[in-house]
Amino acid sequence: MQTYRIAPSILSADFARLGDEVRSVIRAGADFIHFDVMDNHYVPNLTIGPAVAQAIKPWCRRDDGSAVPLDVHLMVEPVDALAQSFAQAGADIVSFHPEASRHVDRTLQLIRDAGCKAGLVFNPASSLEVLDYVLDKVDLVLIMSVNPGFGGQSFIAEALHKVARVRQRLDAYHARSGRAVLLEVDGGIKTDNIAQVAAAGADTFVAGSAIFGQRDYKAVIDAMRAQLAALPA
Ligand code: DX5
Ligand code: ZN
């Protein structure tokens, strides 16, 4: 049985009530809290930094006390110093765009040395080639299905082909190494396209506006899970 994870992006949450929003979306069934960091340099927008990650970290728990991973998506350049700051702030996963780091292998290593899982993020027009060289140091691959910088954009369908190609590579890698790497997709995911993204091979789904744009977060997450459950095994 395939395990799917839903990662609400708090980029579309009410920033004036961020702790409450995190708690609500966890009660609604979030598996990860996706945290979008934009620097007005690598992407044309400015969001939240390590201090905010540290402030919401205590809220990243279910009512039974179990932890919900804080999934930090860095859209920043350079990467290394901020990656370390987010690790100290309580990030569980730190992902970055390979174009934004001079030394991708070193950045992956320093994220792991800081005790986090490390992710590589691929823009719609970015090649996957770097994966051939660093997969042993990657815990998560994140495929962008929009150009990074804003919530609420439309899903770029070409991303489905890329997801399928990454799925093949990760399956082959799992067969030879025994190591499972997560395959996350980010941008424009809604109840009506999540099944297609899963069918292409994704196991983890970021959704910002689709969830926080509705009053009833649980209704949206339940509807997404129902779509996933209806997929052929
Ligand atoms: C875009 C961000 C996304 C964004 C997704 O640069 O990385 O995580 O918040 O938002 P939606 O789901 O609204 O496309
Ligand atoms: Zn993101």
Side-chain angles (χ1 to χ4, degrees):
M1 188 57 189
Q2 170 77 48
T3 302
Y4 293 117
R5 294 172 194 79
I6 295 184
S9 162
I10 58 170
L11 183 60
S12 294
D14 178 353
F15 279 178
R17 308 173 29 250
L18 204 47
D20 279 345
E21 289 275 71
V22 169
R23 182 172 53 194
S24 301
V25 87
I26 288 173
R27 284 188 176 152
D31 298 298
F32 287 174
I33 294 297
H34 186 81
F35 189 105
D36 286 306
V37 183
M38 304 183 186
D39 68 348
N40 192 40
H41 171 71
Y42 181 68
V43 290
N45 197 358
L46 185 64
T47 59
I48 43 184
V52 177
Q54 193 173 4
I56 66 159
K57 180 68 175 176
W59 300 80
C60 294
R61 294 203 168 272
R62 299 185 188 86
D63 289 337
D64 67 7
S66 59
V68 175
L70 184 56
D71 172 28
V72 174
H73 174 192
L74 295 180
M75 289 161 272
V76 304
E77 185 180 0
V79 179
D80 293 3
L82 275 174
Q84 284 168 311
S85 301
F86 276 99
Q88 278 170 11
D92 295 286
I93 305 166
V94 177
S95 300
F96 65 98
H97 292 247
E99 303 85 343
S101 170
R102 284 275 174 89
H103 306 285
V104 171
D105 181 277
R106 173 184 288 150
T107 304
L108 290 166
Q109 190 63 57
L110 71 84
I111 291 169
R112 286 177 140 204
D113 287 347
C116 298
K117 292 191 186 306
L120 273 185
V121 193
F122 295 91
N123 287 329
S126 296
S127 152
L128 297 169
E129 203 194 347
V130 64
L131 277 183
D132 288 343
Y133 308 108
V134 295
L135 211 38
D136 281 335
K137 292 176 180 160
V138 171
D139 301 294
L140 174 144
V141 174
L142 174 51
I143 298 299
M144 294 305 299
S145 41
V146 297
N147 288 291
F150 303 94
Q153 304 180 82
S154 304
F155 187 86
I156 296 172
E158 183 59 34
L160 294 170
H161 297 126
K162 200 184 239 173
V163 171
R165 281 169 45 218
V166 176
R167 179 79 272 154
Q168 281 179 352
R169 288 190 192 205
L170 295 184
D171 285 351
Y173 178 72
H174 183 253
R176 65 175 189 272
S177 71
R179 224 168 59 81
V181 176
L182 295 181
L183 176 43
E184 184 173 43
V185 180
D186 186 1
I189 296 185
K190 316 267 174 220
T191 304
D192 62 12
N193 63 7
I194 195 169
Q196 250 186 313
V197 183
D203 49 51
T204 304
F205 309 88
V206 177
S209 52
I211 294 173
F212 288 103
Q214 301 294 321
R215 283 179 78 96
D216 188 344
Y217 306 159
K218 184 168 188 301
V220 181
I221 293 175
D222 285 351
M224 288 178 164
R225 286 201 204 283
Q227 290 288 320
L228 296 170
L231 284 165

